[in-house]
Amino acid sequence: MAFAHVCLWTLLAFVLTWTVFYVTNRKKKATELADAAAEERRNGADVIIVGAGVGGSALAYALAKDGRRVHVIERDMREPERMMGEFMQPGGRLMLSKLGLQDCLDGIDAQKATGMAVYKDGKEAVASFPVDNNNFPYDPSARSFHNGRFVQSLRQKASSLSSVRLEEGTVKSLIEEKGVIKGVTYKNKAGEETTALAPLTVVCDGCYSNLRRSLNNNNAEVLSYQVGYISKNCRLDDPENLHLIMSKPSSIMLYQLSSTDVRCGFELFPDNFPSIAKGEMTTFAKNTLAPQVPPKLRKIFLKGLDEGAHIKAVPAKRMTATLSNKKGVIVLGDAFNMRHPSVAAGMMVLLSDILILRRLLQPLSNLGDANKVSEVIKSFYSIRKPMSATVNTLGTAFSQVLIASTDEAKEAMRQGCYDYLCSGGFRTSGMMALLGGMNPRPISLIYHLCAITLHSIGHLLSPFPSPIRIWHSLRLFGLALKMLVPHLKAEGVSQMLFPANAAAYRKSYMAASVF
């Protein structure tokens, strides 16, 4: 009996000791966190940006110019080697200029592009960006460049401001308190795990983002794979045009990447993907694709393959943008929204988003008001729709018509797109204004998609409407609806087309630079 009492009192003493230790330790941690937060408010950042790619660096510069203290945490500060993000449309250059970053394209051997040359079944046509677009207040030309050089130029520009702290480190997780993101936990370059706190955290760490999963429930869909390599020490005969070949099974693309490098790329699908390591991809490109490349481009296309150029393959993903229900955080870039890269407009949409977000945040003197910041983020989500919805829908439609098919309806749509794009006049200028981000209006896109569909149906029914041709025409009309309707549903019809959103976007799009 005495032994039982001893055991009971020992157990009670242990529980009491553990309880006191737990409560004390928890209070200590809470005090440390509060002290850290207070210190952060006094000496730390107003904004934490995860990722110093194109988006993170550009946003850091823009917010710092508005007087914000910005802490950027990037996993790897070395010059990145990417195949994506090498082509900036005219609309992207306009956004870059409005952010005060246009000089970041200087000194990186960027190449001017005035349009694209399109090839199909032995025919060739040039579609140029419209030069007489009164609604576009900037030079109507694109730029192609090595992505890594551009990123490093943006990083240098951002870090030149005293209120930007650019640090190498790997972010492990977000710090959350009662549904509000307070900052991040990360491992610095020395391998030490530490925290960074700020009223606003921006996740801008690309398509492979690990943090996105804790904020949004949207998943990226892999559509295909973009395969590419660089042919060195050569120059295209027509370097100011992107060269698009409507080949089989899908498209081939060549463009001048620098004064001496040409990017060669093509699209393949997961069910028919030759091995790169075993040399099957090189053989496929030489034997299947090269014969379809126009003779004036074929030598350059084969040069990189013959010289053993490093072949890369990256997934082409699509992901609809969704807002997080957590406060104090916003997701941008490929971590937020992805579309098929066939329209080369990812950077343009990202820079447009940054321009909008920056303008909406300017009136807020205190980013610590999570409710007000949340209202800003909701407004941002709506205002971005004219540009993002136009590009997302165009990316899906354009990528699908580039795929070769034995289906008569699909091939008619493909031929109709080629004919429409290369016909000249209003059709060509209208489509190139959309592709170049010079006219980011969903209504214009819907008009041109309908016109291409009717043109394709007319081609199918010619010279007379037989029953089988009528059937294929109906199927083609159904294909067009499949391209458009899902995007209208996903993006939101009212948000895409509501006049107030279009007017709000144009205010951001056309507003004069503050620099």
Side-chain angles (χ1 to χ4, degrees):
M1 192 71 175
F3 177 74
H5 280 112
V6 171
C7 291
L8 179 60
W9 282 110
T10 301
L11 179 60
L12 289 173
F14 172 77
V15 171
L16 182 62
T17 303
W18 183 87
T19 302
V20 171
F21 172 79
Y22 175 78
V23 171
T24 303
N25 191 52
R26 188 166 181 176
K27 285 183 177 180
K28 181 180 178 183
K29 286 185 176 180
T31 301
E32 289 175 351
L33 188 61
D35 291 343
E39 181 68 17
E40 199 76 35
R41 284 191 294 270
R42 287 192 298 270
N43 304 312
D46 299 308
V47 182
I48 293 170
I49 299 176
V50 181
V54 172
S57 301
L59 180 63
Y61 179 83
L63 294 181
K65 292 295 284 187
D66 288 341
R68 313 287 188 189
R69 296 165 300 173
V70 185
H71 183 185
V72 186
I73 305 172
E74 164 60 35
R75 182 180 57 84
D76 190 348
M77 286 296 184
R78 293 175 297 180
E79 183 176 312
E81 296 182 6
R82 293 190 63 207
M83 190 170 71
M84 300 293 199
E86 294 178 335
F87 196 88
M88 183 172 289
Q89 301 285 6
R93 292 184 58 227
L94 172 63
M95 305 301 170
L96 200 68
S97 172
K98 289 186 177 298
L99 290 168
L101 295 167
Q102 66 274 15
D103 57 338
C104 290
L105 288 173
D106 299 336
I108 61 171
D109 200 15
Q111 302 295 298
K112 181 179 181 179
T114 57
M116 66 179 176
V118 189
Y119 308 82
K120 187 179 186 296
D121 301 331
K123 297 180 180 179
E124 173 187 348
V126 174
S128 300
F129 296 118
V131 297
D132 55 352
N133 188 338
N134 295 327
N135 295 321
F136 187 73
Y138 203 67
D139 171 40
S141 63
R143 293 291 184 273
S144 54
F145 43 78
H146 284 275
N147 174 269
R149 296 177 186 175
F150 180 52
V151 169
Q152 291 299 85
S153 182
L154 286 171
R155 288 174 178 173
Q156 290 171 10
K157 183 84 170 182
S159 60
S160 68
L161 301 178
S162 60
S163 54
V164 174
R165 178 189 175 195
L166 202 58
E167 181 182 9
E168 185 168 309
T170 303
V171 174
K172 298 295 184 181
S173 62
L174 300 169
I175 299 173
E176 182 179 348
E177 184 180 308
K178 296 179 180 179
V180 180
I181 302 302
K182 298 292 186 180
V184 299
T185 299
Y186 69 102
K187 188 173 288 187
N188 61 24
K189 192 174 182 179
E192 302 165 339
E193 190 164 298
T194 184
T195 61
L197 303 174
L200 178 62
T201 300
V202 181
V203 175
C204 199
D205 55 348
C207 63
Y208 299 106
S209 173
N210 291 320
L211 301 178
R212 179 180 69 230
R213 297 179 181 88
S214 63
L215 297 170
N216 298 326
N217 58 2
N218 52 343
N219 294 313
E221 174 190 4
V222 176
L223 303 170
S224 60
Y225 287 87
Q226 300 293 311
V227 183
Y229 56 90
I230 295 175
S231 290
K232 294 184 175 295
N233 301 313
C234 55
R235 193 161 180 84
L236 295 165
D237 290 338
D238 185 10
E240 289 198 359
N241 276 319
L242 182 150
H243 297 264
L244 175 66
I245 304 151
M246 298 178 74
S247 55
K248 300 176 181 179
S250 191
S251 58
I252 301 170
M253 198 174 289
L254 289 85
Y255 52 89
Q256 198 73 43
L257 190 60
S258 70
S259 57
T260 58
D261 295 342
V262 174
R263 167 66 71 190
C264 304
F266 48 91
E267 182 179 24
L268 289 177
F269 301 94
D271 57 351
N272 182 25
F273 196 85
S275 169
I276 295 176
K278 295 179 181 179
E280 296 172 359
M281 188 67 77
T282 300
T283 302
F284 171 81
K286 286 183 176 181
N287 297 341
T288 303
L289 298 180
Q292 301 181 68
V293 177
K296 67 177 183 179
L297 302 173
R298 193 176 301 155
K299 183 178 179 181
I300 290 178
F301 184 82
L302 289 170
K303 188 175 188 296
L305 297 172
D306 292 336
E307 293 177 352
H310 177 55
I311 299 176
K312 291 183 178 181
V314 296
K317 298 181 179 182
R318 179 175 61 200
M319 186 178 70
T320 303
T322 59
L323 282 179
S324 173
N325 57 8
K326 292 180 171 56
K327 296 180 179 181
V329 64
I330 185 169
V331 187
L332 288 179
D334 285 347
F336 176 54
N337 185 202
M338 288 182 272
R339 78 288 306 158
H340 195 282
S342 60
V343 291
M347 285 190 294
M348 178 173 67
V349 174
L350 173 56
L351 293 171
S352 170
D353 285 350
I354 290 171
L355 195 67
I356 295 166
L357 182 63
R358 178 273 187 96
R359 184 181 67 81
L360 291 173
L361 287 175
Q362 280 176 338
L364 299 185
S365 58
N366 177 23
L367 296 181
D369 190 330
N371 291 324
K372 285 187 177 180
V373 172
S374 292
E375 290 302 315
V376 161
I377 294 172
K378 289 178 183 178
S379 297
F380 157 78
Y381 183 72
S382 297
I383 294 172
R384 71 184 295 269
K385 285 295 183 178
M387 170 65 85
S388 65
T390 300
V391 171
N392 292 344
T393 307
L394 183 61
T396 296
F398 197 59
S399 65
Q400 289 184 13
V401 299
L402 291 179
I403 302 171
S405 175
T406 56
D407 184 299
E408 193 167 342
K410 291 182 178 179
E411 188 55 35
M413 177 68 90
R414 191 168 184 252
Q415 183 64 47
C417 181
Y418 174 83
D419 293 340
Y420 191 90
L421 183 61
C422 303
S423 60
F426 171 75
R427 294 175 175 182
T428 299
S429 63
M431 281 300 298
M432 291 303 293
L434 286 167
L435 285 167
M438 303 166 68
N439 181 26
R441 298 178 182 178
I443 285 290
S444 297
L445 172 61
I446 292 171
Y447 169 83
H448 285 288
L449 287 180
C450 290
I452 291 172
T453 301
L454 292 175
H455 178 85
S456 303
I457 288 174
H459 178 77
L460 262 181
L461 293 175
S462 178
F464 59 90
S466 65
I468 188 66
R469 287 173 177 167
I470 293 174
W471 167 242
H472 286 314
S473 297
L474 292 173
R475 291 180 56 246
L476 190 153
F477 183 73
L479 290 172
L481 289 178
K482 285 183 179 179
M483 292 180 188
L484 183 59
V485 173
H487 276 280
L488 285 173
K489 183 178 179 181
E491 302 287 351
V493 175
S494 63
Q495 287 182 314
M496 282 179 65
L497 309 180
F498 192 55
N501 290 334
Y505 180 78
R506 285 194 294 273
K507 183 178 179 181
S508 294
Y509 184 75
M510 304 297 291
S513 171
V514 298
F515 296 104

